[in-house]
Amino acid sequence: MTGFDANEHLTPFRDGRGYGAILFDRTHVRQPEPSWFDPAHWGTAAEAVTEGGRGAAWFIDFGQGDALLRHYLRGGLIARFSHDRHLWRGINRVRSFAEFRLLRQLRARQLPVPLPYAALYRREGVHYRAAILMQRLHDVRPLASLAATGDAPWEDTGLLIARFHRAGLDHADLNANNILFDAQGRGWMIDLDQSRLRIPATGWREANLQRLLRSLRKLRGERSQEQVDAGFARLHAAYELVWNKGY
């Protein structure tokens, strides 16, 4: 968060596995423990997330409501050598802390993202591991799944993305699994790891949209590329319409 936030609290810890810190919102959770970020701690109360193709995520009941626990993994070729360890560049570069604070900023602007509860890092020499605990969104389906069954709300998706872009969110991985719609038709955006707030500009906005299009094509299933592109054209038209109106 920018400026002082009285509800944001940082607690250092040290245990047999090393040392680190937990950042949390004291209005929503009591003092979190490092064990909260280990799915083994929750036993049968931890359910691995299978939809969306992302590993290292679990739904848990942590005694203060349902939550999503996610560990931060490496991507690309480097993941072959370091699955979940990240190079330490200082506390201000910790990925879980950055996402925690970004989620809080977006919620302060009344944007539909999950409520973050707590974030952790654990130092291991020149590396660290990270995790985040956040609100679980119930009865939601990703855009990819909705598109596969012909139920994608293309225009609403375009409006949703425009709303986030207007606030300056440059989503680092805007794909068809990171846009969700609940049973009431409300849209949500998730997985903001390495995303950031920027001055709205055509270049990065269009790059976000093209990344989403590539994702929709990749996940098209039995649909033709022409069908996917037709749906995306409706999305893009709605996006441009609201963007050009200035709201």
Side-chain angles (χ1 to χ4, degrees):
M1 297 288 287
T2 58
F4 175 71
D5 183 354
N7 294 321
E8 185 179 290
H9 192 69
L10 181 69
T11 300
F13 69 85
R14 183 181 294 272
D15 58 22
R17 297 171 56 190
Y19 66 95
I22 299 173
L23 183 67
F24 66 101
D25 180 347
R26 69 173 90 201
T27 64
H28 295 288
V29 295
R30 63 181 188 275
Q31 175 64 59
E33 300 293 335
S35 59
W36 288 19
F37 298 87
D38 182 353
H41 169 77
W42 303 103
T44 58
E47 174 191 352
V49 178
T50 57
E51 189 171 23
R54 186 181 183 88
W58 300 265
F59 295 130
I60 64 171
D61 179 357
F62 74 126
Q64 299 179 55
D66 290 342
L68 172 75
L69 169 64
R70 194 178 82 235
H71 289 183
Y72 288 75
L73 304 182
R74 302 299 298 269
L77 293 175
I78 199 168
R80 299 180 182 179
F81 309 99
S82 180
H83 179 62
D84 62 353
R85 295 196 306 162
H86 311 274
L87 183 64
W88 179 257
R89 294 189 176 95
I91 194 170
N92 291 328
R93 300 286 295 276
V94 170
R95 287 168 61 174
S96 57
F97 283 16
E99 185 170 4
F100 177 92
R101 287 175 166 140
L102 178 58
L103 287 167
R104 285 170 61 81
Q105 286 180 287
L106 293 172
R107 288 183 64 87
R109 300 182 186 195
Q110 306 301 311
L111 289 165
V113 295
L115 172 68
Y117 295 130
L120 166 142
Y121 78 82
R122 183 187 292 277
R123 284 289 303 274
E124 298 177 358
V126 298
H127 295 94
Y128 75 95
R129 289 183 166 92
I132 192 168
L133 193 64
M134 67 179 73
Q135 173 191 12
R136 176 181 180 178
L137 302 175
H138 286 276
D139 300 319
V140 291
R141 292 177 64 191
L143 179 62
S145 173
L146 292 166
T149 57
D151 299 316
W154 296 115
E155 287 79 10
D156 287 346
T157 304
L159 299 180
L160 179 71
I161 297 171
R163 186 178 171 193
F164 276 92
H165 281 178
R166 183 67 65 190
L169 179 69
D170 181 1
H171 198 300
D173 188 18
L174 188 62
N175 65 57
N177 284 317
N178 287 337
I179 297 172
L180 309 178
F181 285 89
D182 62 25
Q184 290 72 45
R186 293 174 299 194
W188 300 81
M189 198 167 286
I190 63 169
D191 196 358
L192 302 182
D193 180 27
Q194 302 189 81
S195 301
R196 55 178 173 158
L197 292 175
R198 307 175 64 182
I199 296 173
T202 302
W204 67 257
R205 291 191 296 108
E206 191 58 33
N208 274 197
L209 292 167
Q210 289 303 309
R211 187 181 187 93
L212 176 59
L213 175 58
R214 291 193 298 271
S215 170
L216 288 164
R217 288 172 173 173
K218 180 180 179 180
L219 301 172
R220 70 178 185 270
E222 297 181 358
R223 294 169 299 148
S224 68
Q225 182 167 312
E226 289 72 20
Q227 289 175 306
V228 173
D229 289 355
F232 182 80
R234 292 168 55 190
L235 180 159
H236 202 281
Y239 174 97
E240 289 294 336
L241 179 63
V242 71
W243 185 267
N244 291 332
K245 286 183 178 180
Y247 56 85

